[in-house]
Amino acid sequence: MSYALPNTDRHAPELHTGLATLFDEDTIARLTELGGGGGWAGARCLEFGAGAGSIAGWLADAVGPHGRVYATDLVVEQIPAHPRLTVLRHDLRSDPLPAGVFDLIHGRRVLEHLPQRQIILDRLVDKLAAGGTLLVEGGRALRTPDIVISAPDPDARELYLRYQRTVGQVFAGQGADPGWAPTMHRAFFERGLVDVRTRIRSGYWTGGDAGCRMLTAVQQMLRPKLIEAGMTDADLHAVTALLRDPRLVVRSHEIYATSGQAAA
């Protein structure tokens, strides 16, 4: 089963730009907090599903001259080079993780898309050094009626809700679980991690802003599958126009950021 939003797609850079613009500030704040007073200097870090590498690059700066960061993804050409960054082409579903153990493991918007998420989580926990930290950020899809805050007219609202229902069907068909993120807290406890904490964030996106531009990239990447699932070209053109319309306001998915530590 293939990943629904592959990095090989020509719209993937737009998706990664959106992810960085919308989420990097919160991710970096959480990583900084988890690093404590000493930060991540000298740490050995793993960034799985690194995408375009914005967080991997930040970590490579943060670990200093005695640390090392490993960034993995199926497609790695978008990840910029850094003297303290090792980039590995890697299939999280089947390939072994890099050798050794890690002081920090982080991934964002990855595991909820993979049917093997529970097995992968086991492997990630096994790769933590004593006292090491795992931070996983996952998205939870909202109930469809809760998504649209305002729309130009009732027909536009109904079109967008129908579109979102179809997107959900496509992701589910590719093995995604839109309800998995809220279960991570319990899953971390069940795997023996300590000091488990979860933060939840969400927001509103307005037509034409960074959030809606990212949603447009997702639509373009899913377009063939959306057509197969019953949307028409006219429907998708109308959704594209709607995502540029400032009269549209939608609520983003909730992002669950769950952290835990291996026992020292």
Side-chain angles (χ1 to χ4, degrees):
M1 190 174 293
S2 60
Y3 178 45
L5 300 172
N7 288 357
T8 51
D9 191 281
R10 66 188 182 92
H11 296 284
E14 301 160 38
L15 172 63
H16 292 143
T17 296
L19 289 169
T21 300
L22 295 164
F23 303 127
D24 274 9
E25 182 178 356
D26 286 334
T27 297
I28 289 169
R30 189 70 187 278
L31 289 170
T32 300
E33 176 187 356
L34 291 169
W40 295 106
R44 193 168 187 262
C45 304
L46 171 63
E47 175 76 5
F48 65 88
S54 59
I55 296 300
W58 181 87
L59 284 171
D61 287 334
V63 299
H66 303 297
R68 195 75 196 165
V69 178
Y70 293 78
T72 72
D73 211 318
L74 286 168
V75 178
V76 298
E77 283 75 14
Q78 295 185 52
I79 302 175
H82 189 289
R84 292 187 289 274
L85 181 60
T86 298
V87 177
L88 300 171
R89 190 182 308 275
H90 177 266
D91 190 333
L92 195 61
R93 300 165 296 183
S94 56
D95 294 339
L97 292 165
V101 294
F102 296 91
D103 304 297
L104 171 67
I105 299 175
H106 171 256
R108 184 175 68 194
R109 303 304 311 268
V110 178
L111 293 187
E112 69 262 35
H113 290 285
L114 303 178
Q116 305 87 348
R117 60 190 67 86
Q118 300 291 358
I119 295 171
I120 294 168
L121 188 58
D122 288 337
R123 294 172 181 164
L124 294 171
V125 170
D126 287 344
K127 280 292 182 177
L128 287 173
T133 298
L134 174 64
L135 173 62
V136 177
E137 299 180 87
R140 172 183 174 269
L142 302 173
R143 293 188 321 115
T144 304
D146 297 334
I147 292 174
V148 177
I149 305 305
S150 68
D153 54 61
D155 288 344
R157 182 180 188 277
E158 182 51 42
L159 170 65
Y160 192 78
L161 292 177
R162 179 162 58 88
Y163 165 72
Q164 283 294 331
R165 287 192 291 269
T166 308
V167 169
Q169 293 167 14
V170 169
F171 276 132
Q174 297 297 114
D177 182 353
W180 182 73
T183 73
M184 291 193 298
H185 197 102
R186 183 180 71 247
F188 278 36
F189 270 124
E190 291 172 347
R191 287 161 173 80
L193 299 183
V194 299
D195 193 21
V196 177
R197 290 178 281 166
T198 295
R199 305 268 176 85
I200 306 168
R201 63 184 184 270
S202 184
Y204 291 174
W205 295 338
T206 300
D209 71 6
C212 285
R213 291 196 300 273
M214 185 182 73
L215 293 176
T216 301
V218 170
Q219 186 222 81
Q220 295 298 328
M221 295 173 78
L222 295 179
R223 189 178 186 86
K225 295 186 182 301
L226 292 168
I227 296 290
E228 290 176 11
M231 300 293 289
T232 67
D233 277 325
D235 290 334
L236 295 179
H237 282 302
V239 170
T240 298
L242 194 56
L243 286 168
R244 298 185 184 126
D245 190 327
R247 295 173 295 172
L248 177 74
V249 180
V250 297
R251 187 177 173 189
S252 72
H253 286 185
E254 292 175 338
I255 305 299
Y256 285 69
T258 298
S259 65
Q261 290 184 311

